[in-house]
Amino acid sequence: MTEKRLGTKTFIWAIIMSAPSPLVVGLGLLVGRSSTQIADFVRKSAELFAIIISFIVFLRTQKYVERDEMRKQTLERRANIFVGLMMLFAGIIMLILTFLISHTDKGNVIPALAIIVFGGTVNSIFWIRYTRLNKTQPNSIFAVQIRLYRAKTLVDMSVIIALLSVLIAPQSVVSYWIDFIGSIIVSLYIIWSGTRTVYKQIKPLQKNG
């Protein structure tokens, strides 16, 4: 199977599996109001948009021939910068929400917890999938998707811990701080990952410019 077919198949499945997440997590907010849960909704929405843009650019660059290699690399880097900016945007919004949203009366977090456990499993699968794909057929878009899905997986683990604490002891001081600190960790990690992605992709563009 060619790079285009493998990459296209992986991207399509990534979009199919990611598309319902913002909607379902958003519906979960009707019964649960954990700050970590709300932050996760913002994150998933921005990440889905970034994945779709990366897929569009991947399809477009596969049509380029060898003489268009410089143009291809430039377009790929711009798409990767967009992914990084979406991660950065999500992280900043999440950090702001962490301090603005009340941490009392969390509501029912079970729906969100079930969704995030499933999502974390799926994200880890795509993390492995893109890693293998990039090893056999190196591509800068694949490399950034690896970084994105690694961040998604690690953040999901943080969200799961925070929501479990709310579920087990919703009124305790410990669960309050785990939820609050969990939101901050999620935000800062996404900001760091997005900044790192933009920095790594923008340097070559500046040199070529």
Side-chain angles (χ1 to χ4, degrees):
M1 191 176 292
T2 64
E3 174 187 341
K4 181 177 179 180
R5 289 185 62 189
L6 280 171
T8 300
K9 183 179 179 180
T10 302
F11 265 114
I12 289 175
W13 276 109
I15 293 172
I16 290 173
M17 299 303 293
S18 299
S21 295
L23 175 62
V24 177
V25 173
L27 292 175
L29 291 174
L30 297 176
V31 294
R33 289 169 294 280
S34 161
S35 60
T36 305
Q37 187 178 343
I38 297 172
D40 195 53
F41 169 74
V42 176
R43 173 178 70 93
K44 288 182 183 298
S45 300
E47 288 171 349
L48 174 61
F49 190 35
I51 293 170
I52 292 173
I53 294 299
S54 294
F55 179 44
I56 293 172
V57 172
F58 174 76
L59 290 179
R60 182 177 176 182
T61 55
Q62 293 306 300
K63 297 178 182 180
Y64 291 167
V65 295
E66 187 174 347
R67 67 174 179 272
D68 297 322
E69 185 62 28
M70 184 65 70
R71 184 183 176 189
K72 176 183 177 182
Q73 290 180 6
T74 300
L75 189 58
E76 287 176 345
R77 289 190 182 107
R78 287 176 178 172
N80 293 335
I81 288 172
F82 179 80
V83 173
L85 289 175
M86 284 294 96
M87 295 172 70
L88 187 58
F89 167 77
I92 292 172
I93 295 299
M94 289 159 59
L95 190 60
I96 293 172
L97 287 174
T98 297
F99 291 95
L100 292 182
I101 296 169
S102 171
H103 292 269
T104 60
D105 188 19
K106 304 300 181 181
N108 183 7
V109 299
I110 294 178
L113 182 59
I115 293 164
I116 292 168
V117 168
F118 174 75
T121 303
V122 171
N123 287 335
S124 64
I125 291 173
F126 280 109
W127 177 11
I128 295 171
R129 175 72 174 174
Y130 277 114
T131 299
R132 291 177 177 174
L133 195 58
N134 194 53
K135 283 182 178 179
T136 57
Q137 302 164 343
N139 183 294
S140 65
I141 289 183
F142 294 159
V144 171
Q145 292 301 304
I146 292 171
R147 192 172 298 122
L148 174 62
Y149 274 96
R150 180 172 60 232
K152 285 163 68 70
T153 301
L154 297 178
V155 168
D156 280 336
M157 292 172 61
S158 175
V159 174
I160 289 170
I161 292 172
L163 293 185
L164 275 175
S165 71
V166 173
L167 178 64
I168 295 171
Q171 302 301 324
S172 75
V173 176
V174 174
S175 66
Y176 165 85
W177 284 108
I178 290 178
D179 184 41
F180 182 67
I181 294 173
S183 298
I184 294 177
I185 290 174
V186 167
S187 305
L188 293 180
Y189 186 79
I190 292 294
I191 290 172
W192 177 80
S193 296
T195 302
R196 185 165 174 260
T197 297
V198 172
Y199 178 74
K200 283 194 169 186
Q201 297 299 317
I202 207 169
K203 284 183 66 179
L205 286 179
Q206 291 175 334
K207 290 179 180 179
N208 293 337

